[in-house]
Amino acid sequence: MKKRIQAVIAIMLILCMSLSGCGNATQETAAKTEAAADGESAADTATETDDGVVRLTVWAEEANWDVLNKMIESFKQEHAGEAKFEITLVQNADAETKNVLLGDIYNGADIFPIPDDQMSSLVAAGALASVPNAEEVKAANMEDAVAAACVNDVLYAYPMTADNGYFMYYDKRYFTEEDLKTLDGMLTAAEAAGKKITMDWSSGWYLYAFFGGTGMEFGINEDGVTNHCNWNRVDGSIKGTDVAEALLAIAAHPGFANMTDADFMAGVQDGSVIAGVSGVWNEVEVRKAWGDNYGAVKLPTYTCAGQQIQMSSFKGYKMMGVNYYSAHKDWALKLADWFTNEQNQTLRFEERSQGPSNKNAAASDTINQVPAIQAVIAQSEYGVLQRVGNSYWDATTEFGGIMAAGNPSGKDLQEIMDTMVAGITASTVQ
């Protein structure tokens, strides 16, 4: 009972204080008020069971554990004598951070990697602690990477990588420099060799490549939830059906195969795939398979309505976020900052070939010699930040499946485009 009375008094004090505040302070106060109302027992437990040990849980994909463990050890050495740490790595796919965290925010990890497209939802849910040394972090990192980690000009995460985009891997034994300029040229070379070029049309992330350079419009609305899109337009130099016809022509080509990322890598390793659209996360394995023959370039142009259209891309960034409800939030912020400093972004590149967002780390001669990093940088000229509402994904997956299968039902192409756009622009809860 005493604890409940104390909690109520605390809430009343916070509400009174909020009357004189504004802007970010008001938002943070509201979040704290909600935490006090909903999480009393958790706060009490944290106080009562505190034995002086700073226990932090870090979500990460298992492939990154070795390098993260090195960073954790150096963090402990850096802060030796200040606290006793128990830092635990737990397997969690980066792509699932938002879904898993918002499913049980109070029991979520203290620190976690965030793909930039998840930022808006996590901030809207009050899940992220803002960065206390924001100006220092902004100055150290690339402008676009900082923008990706901000919502309404507030920095909510620490920029970590600047390579979460896609480009074209290729085996140098099969292509000339001229071939690499156009998808037509690459497909012809692949057919002649009896091999395949791959791309994943089950994902709207990759399918955007065919629409971004057409002059048609797509993006998220001001509500941060719904999309606007005119990919089904019936006029202009390129119509929606022109893109559909181009995709059907590519799908029918003997040199093309619609494959997931995992299938692309299997094909690289067994020799059936000699080029494919993917990202730096596969760089190590591609280099192992192709050795000195491994190459990477920006995406080529493709034929659409009798024109050569430069393939576009979503350019992406990853950052480290801290759970607003972490029992040791100050230490969690320090560790997230440590994971993403210049020294550790360099280490992450050296051991995992992940391109840094830190300006100094990215300027090293070693990084400038990695084809995949240079390819993602070259492609970024034709890329945009991924800012989309959830209704985009299912609609484009369905469309991509129809195109990859060659429109087996013979459905009218304008109707197909209209259906996709209706799905993309549908009002759904994010």
Side-chain angles (χ1 to χ4, degrees):
M1 178 63 73
K2 181 180 179 181
K3 290 176 183 175
R4 289 196 180 94
I5 293 171
Q6 289 173 338
V8 171
I9 292 172
I11 292 170
M12 292 175 66
L13 287 172
I14 291 170
L15 288 171
C16 290
M17 292 168 63
S18 71
L19 295 175
S20 61
C22 63
N24 293 336
T26 301
Q27 295 172 4
E28 187 170 354
T29 298
K32 288 179 179 178
T33 303
E34 182 180 350
D38 294 339
E40 176 195 350
S41 60
D44 288 341
T45 299
T47 300
E48 291 171 359
T49 63
D50 188 359
D51 56 3
V53 177
V54 175
R55 294 182 176 86
L56 298 171
T57 299
V58 181
W59 280 342
E61 294 179 347
E62 197 165 354
N64 293 315
W65 282 16
D66 286 347
V67 69
L68 284 171
N69 274 321
K70 291 181 180 180
M71 296 176 190
I72 289 168
E73 287 307 309
S74 64
F75 178 80
K76 289 178 178 179
Q77 292 172 15
E78 178 73 12
H79 295 282
E82 298 177 46
K84 181 180 179 181
F85 299 99
E86 289 184 9
I87 302 172
T88 305
L89 294 175
V90 175
Q91 161 66 24
N92 189 72
D94 294 354
E96 293 300 316
T97 294
K98 179 187 74 172
N99 294 336
V100 177
L101 183 64
L102 297 187
D104 188 1
I105 191 170
Y106 297 108
N107 292 307
D110 299 278
I111 306 162
F112 34 77
I114 310 170
D116 65 87
D117 61 298
Q118 299 181 16
M119 283 295 297
S120 296
S121 296
L122 289 171
V123 171
L128 299 180
S130 59
V131 173
N133 57 331
E135 295 308 312
E136 175 188 343
V137 173
K138 288 178 180 179
N141 287 277
M142 299 174 186
E143 184 177 350
D144 274 0
V146 170
C150 286
V151 175
N152 295 328
D153 296 324
V154 178
L155 190 66
Y156 281 101
Y158 295 85
M160 178 173 66
T161 67
D163 60 6
N164 198 32
Y166 46 91
F167 48 88
M168 183 69 77
Y169 283 107
Y170 70 97
D171 187 328
K172 294 178 182 178
R173 292 171 292 184
Y174 297 95
F175 302 97
T176 66
E177 288 190 15
E178 191 65 24
D179 291 335
L180 297 172
K181 294 179 180 179
T182 68
L183 188 56
D184 290 336
M186 294 190 72
L187 289 171
T188 298
E191 180 184 10
K195 307 288 186 179
K196 299 291 184 182
I197 296 172
T198 75
M199 190 173 179
D200 183 2
W201 287 7
S202 69
S203 170
W205 197 57
Y206 292 108
L207 279 173
Y208 176 79
F210 296 102
F211 292 93
T214 62
M216 292 188 281
E217 297 178 358
F218 164 74
I220 197 165
N221 293 322
E222 290 185 3
D223 61 13
V225 176
T226 59
N227 304 303
H228 61 269
C229 181
N230 72 343
W231 289 353
N232 60 336
R233 76 178 182 187
V234 297
D235 53 12
S237 60
I238 298 178
K239 303 184 291 295
T241 54
D242 292 331
V243 177
E245 289 174 355
L247 290 172
L248 290 174
I250 294 168
H253 198 288
F256 178 77
N258 172 45
M259 289 186 178
T260 65
D261 209 47
D263 290 336
F264 158 69
M265 277 310 309
V268 166
Q269 291 162 348
D270 69 23
S272 61
V273 171
I274 57 172
V277 178
S278 188
V280 295
W281 52 89
N282 281 325
E283 194 270 345
V284 173
E285 295 305 315
V286 170
R287 179 159 36 91
K288 285 180 183 177
W290 289 343
D292 292 340
N293 294 310
Y294 137 61
V297 292
K298 74 170 184 63
L299 297 178
T301 62
Y302 78 104
T303 301
C304 183
Q307 307 170 53
Q308 286 299 307
I309 305 298
Q310 172 61 50
M311 293 176 72
S312 298
S313 61
F314 282 128
K315 56 183 179 181
Y317 303 88
K318 287 188 179 181
M319 55 279 302
M320 279 287 186
V322 170
N323 191 329
Y324 184 88
Y325 299 97
S326 170
H328 296 285
K329 187 160 60 177
D330 288 345
W331 279 113
L333 287 163
K334 288 178 182 179
L335 181 54
D337 195 8
W338 185 262
F339 280 148
T340 57
N341 64 18
E342 178 184 345
Q343 167 191 334
N344 284 321
Q345 287 200 31
T346 300
L347 179 63
R348 187 176 285 104
F349 165 74
E350 292 171 350
E351 300 211 358
R352 296 288 300 142
S353 296
Q354 295 173 354
S357 63
N358 180 277
K359 295 173 185 176
N360 292 338
S364 76
D365 291 338
T366 304
I367 288 176
N368 290 332
Q369 295 171 11
V370 178
I373 300 295
Q374 294 310 301
V376 79
I377 292 172
Q379 181 59 36
S380 68
E381 180 181 347
Y382 308 102
V384 297
L385 272 177
Q386 180 181 316
R387 291 292 184 267
V388 304
N390 279 354
S391 57
Y392 174 78
W393 303 108
D394 287 345
T396 50
T397 293
E398 181 180 359
F399 169 76
I402 293 171
M403 294 297 101
N407 189 19
S409 67
K411 195 172 184 179
D412 178 74
L413 292 184
Q414 187 60 52
E415 185 179 350
I416 290 174
M417 301 308 294
D418 290 343
T419 299
M420 176 176 67
V421 169
I424 289 173
T425 58
S427 296
T428 58
V429 177
Q430 189 170 17

